[in-house]
């Protein structure tokens, strides 16, 4: 199976190898100032960019690649500056929101709307109370408004909810754990592992879910469907 995946989806296979193995670098490559560790980290999501563009180089696939590109940039920048990393991720979320808006669900049921609203409202509130200081709480809450809007729109998009929607929720949980590391979960090793795998799995589910759905539907730059 691994050989088949490596042959048919080499970039996806490379992403999986980098994403699954990245926490092992903490044992022998210092992340702070460790260029190799940062590049290894960036490769996990970075290899999903050519995966998104491998067969299609227009329309929604370009937007998906741009989104993943900013997430990759955020993965690197956040090791140097939390603010710079957050800005890159925020841009990625805005591009994701554009994709979800263009593929919004026409008539979501009440329970779906309610969960989307809950995600949007609860995420910034939880983020605000996690850091130890009010100033930090305001900063992470401001970022979390964009994060929450992305996840809520993913859940209410017409992409597969238990791939794209759930992937976005995993992204939210990962970021909330990052904020918790500033306060109640400071200094816990297991949290860092959970943060990485929740984040990577979330982005992987979004990327694969969106790409496969677009291919099935035949959506391209002009918005028309093709065989």
């Amino acid at each position: 199976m691994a050989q088949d995946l490596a042959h048919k989806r080499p970039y996806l296979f490379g992403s999986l190898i980098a994403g699954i193995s990245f926490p092992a670098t903490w044992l022998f490559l210092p992340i702070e100032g460790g260029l190799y560790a940062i590049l290894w980290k960036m490769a996990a999501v970075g290899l999903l960019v050519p995966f998104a563009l491998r067969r299609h180089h227009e329309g929604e696939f370009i937007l998906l690649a741009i989104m993943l590109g900013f997430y990759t940039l955020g993965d690197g920048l956040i090791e140097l500056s939390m603010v710079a990393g957050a800005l890159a991720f925020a841009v990625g979320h805005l591009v994701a929101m554009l994709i979800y808006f263009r593929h919004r669900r026409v008539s979501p049921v009440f329970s779906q709307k309610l969960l989307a609203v809950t995600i949007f409202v609860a995420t910034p509130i939880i983020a605000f109370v996690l850091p130890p200081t009010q100033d930090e709480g305001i900063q992470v809450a401001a970022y979390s408004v964009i994060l929450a809007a992305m996840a809520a729109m993913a859940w209410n998009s017409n992409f597969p909810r238990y791939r794209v929607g759930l992937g976005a929720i995993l992204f939210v949980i990962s970021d909330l754990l990052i904020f918790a590391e500033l306060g109640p979960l400071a200094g816990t090793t297991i949290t860092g592992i959970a943060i990485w795998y929740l984040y990577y799995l979330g982005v992987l589910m979004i990327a694969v879910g969106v790409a496969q759905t677009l291919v099935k539907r035949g959506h391209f730059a002009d918005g028309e469907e093709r065989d």
Side-chain angles (χ1 to χ4, degrees), residues 121-146:
V121 173
T123 301
I125 295 174
I126 296 172
F128 175 75
V129 302
L130 290 175
T133 69
Q134 185 175 15
D135 287 344
E136 289 177 315
I138 292 173
Q139 291 173 8
V140 299
Y143 162 79
S144 295
V145 170
I146 302 175

Side-chain angles (χ1 to χ4, degrees), residues 12 48 51 64 68 163-164 202-214:
L12 179 59
L48 293 176
F51 162 75
L64 177 61
L68 294 168
R163 276 185 288 170
V164 177
V203 175
L204 180 67
M205 291 171 67
I206 292 170
V208 174
V210 170
Q212 289 182 344
T213 303
L214 291 176

